[in-house]
Amino acid sequence: MKVLTPLSACAHFGKSFHAPNVQVNLVQYVAAGTNLSLEQGYNISTCTRPSQVVPVDLCRMVMNVATSNRSGITLEAWLPTSWSGRFLSTGNGGLSGCIQYEDLAYTAGFGFATVGANNGHNGTSGLPFLNNPDVVADFAYRSVHTGVLIGKQITKAYYGQAHKKSYYLGCSTGGRQAFKEIQDFPGDFDGIVAGAPAVAFNNLSSWSGSFLLKTGTPNSPTFLTPAKWALVHGDILKQCDTLDGVADGILEDPELCPYRPENLLCPSTTPNATTCLTSPQVQTVRKVFTDLYGSDGQIVFPRMNYGSEIPDSHIYYNGIPFSYTEDWYRYAIYNDPSWSAANLSLADISYAHAKNPSNIETWQGDLSAFKNRGGKVIQYHGQADSIITSTNSPRYYNFVADTMSLPSSEMDSFYRFFRISGMDHCSGGVGAWGIGQNAAVLAGEEQTPQNNLLLRIVDWVENGQGPETVRGVKYINDTVSLGKDFERDHCKYPLRNTCVDPANYKQPAAWKCV
């Protein structure tokens, strides 16, 4: 029997694979180091991913998969020549229909047979949701689950044997997709890494739009300029930075901060100076850092975390409607392209929560089916997140614990949550944010289960080695070639980090989980 080379095996597979509702568009062998030029038509250019360097030899398969008579997904499978025997699905972000090629490359580089999909539509706009609940269903749950089912078939057909374990890696919307899988399809994955999950999705979309009502437009007396928000950020650090034992510009646990913005009130002799806040501006700050409640008195979404003020001055506090909120309400909730987030009301918030298309809220507390089959999930959330407040993640963790009547010591058997100090949304920020969630840290040092969450979830699933801490790294100016600035071991919730050796705070040993 003739043994096929990887190139000819890939070509042969493209001709031989068939599955219901699957149309194969492209199969190509890609050598390690190739810089793939990616399709930019069909609204895909808004994904800002024109190319991707492929780290290992692999067979790339691109296909369309019909999910109904009026919807479908674009799915890619990256099948490395040197296969680990593991399968993995990537996720998405925001409202986008963007395949995250950087995650395909990152995970295939570790030998995973990897899939990624466009979430049922192309580009970053929510317009495809308009009058098409099937596209919304793809976005809510069906794209990932369909990709898993087809991806596992492809993996078995290509390698001649089934995968031994199945994994997932995603953040933001990808984090919500992770918990949707755990809640509705608990058999899809053995191990999951879920970052900054956008759970309570309809309420999150409402909360994101509520900041315009709190800040006002740029000509409003309640509005703060980016310079004023930088002033607030400095004052928050002045009041709260040392609560963790050292002044390092990072809040280890923003929930401990009893911030008092009145400290910045302008004196009566200079009521509108650039180095202080007016009374209306102080009230804006207080509103931003207050939980959002609905007309029924129930919490809609918790307050913004302290520490994100500078990036949020350009995201949520910029005096214009937030695009994700407008798109979700216009095209998925009301099917009314003229709706404006400037008119967001408590009635709108209640309606969106009740409509909950395709149960996208993703707020179920009973994860017994996933737990009982041996599934493991590592959740992380940056404590300086500027998009999804980090205060929502402990709220969900505690909701699961209460629903399942499990103390943290028993939650540890399948669900562990880590708060990453100083991390912004999924990555970046002033903290030790490099935890192996993407390829940003690969060039820095050897990757191990202690400093790489992807390797850690594999170690937990396959060897029973669950994480007690997660080590993060911060490179100087976030540039690997400049070397490490510091490392920190982030604590497993509900523990928090405290500095016990301030003189050596850049060393992991200077911190203790309490």
Side-chain angles (χ1 to χ4, degrees), residues 80-102:
T81 300
S82 181
W83 181 45
S84 66
R86 303 180 181 104
F87 171 83
L88 183 142
S89 174
T90 61
N92 303 93
L95 293 182
S96 76
C98 298
I99 296 173
Q100 298 193 177
Y101 287 97
E102 64 276 21

Side-chain angles (χ1 to χ4, degrees), residues 38-52 60 72-76 78 89-105 115-126 128-129 135 138-139 143-144 168-174 177 324 327:
L38 302 170
E39 170 67 60
Q40 294 298 288
Y42 311 101
N43 297 319
I44 298 175
S45 61
T46 60
C47 296
T48 63
R49 292 173 171 89
S51 62
Q52 178 62 53
R60 178 194 180 203
I73 64 171
T74 299
L75 179 69
E76 291 217 14
W78 287 24
S89 174
T90 61
N92 303 93
L95 293 182
S96 76
C98 298
I99 296 173
Q100 298 193 177
Y101 287 97
E102 64 276 21
D103 291 340
L104 287 172
V115 296
N118 75 337
N119 228 5
H121 65 285
N122 287 329
T124 56
S125 169
F129 302 148
V135 176
D138 285 344
F139 175 74
S143 175
V144 171
Y168 177 88
L169 177 70
C171 188
S172 192
T173 282
Q177 290 167 321
Y324 290 179
D327 276 15

Side-chain angles (χ1 to χ4, degrees), residues 435-456:
I435 55 175
Q437 73 273 49
N438 56 39
V441 298
L442 285 183
E445 60 184 86
E446 180 185 359
Q447 297 299 289
T448 70
Q450 179 59 22
N451 64 16
N452 187 300
L453 278 184
L454 182 58
L455 299 184
R456 172 58 76 188

Side-chain angles (χ1 to χ4, degrees), residues 365-384:
D366 186 357
L367 309 184
S368 297
F370 182 74
K371 173 182 179 292
N372 292 341
R373 65 174 299 274
K376 313 292 184 188
V377 56
I378 297 174
Q379 178 182 348
Y380 69 91
H381 205 141
Q383 298 300 283

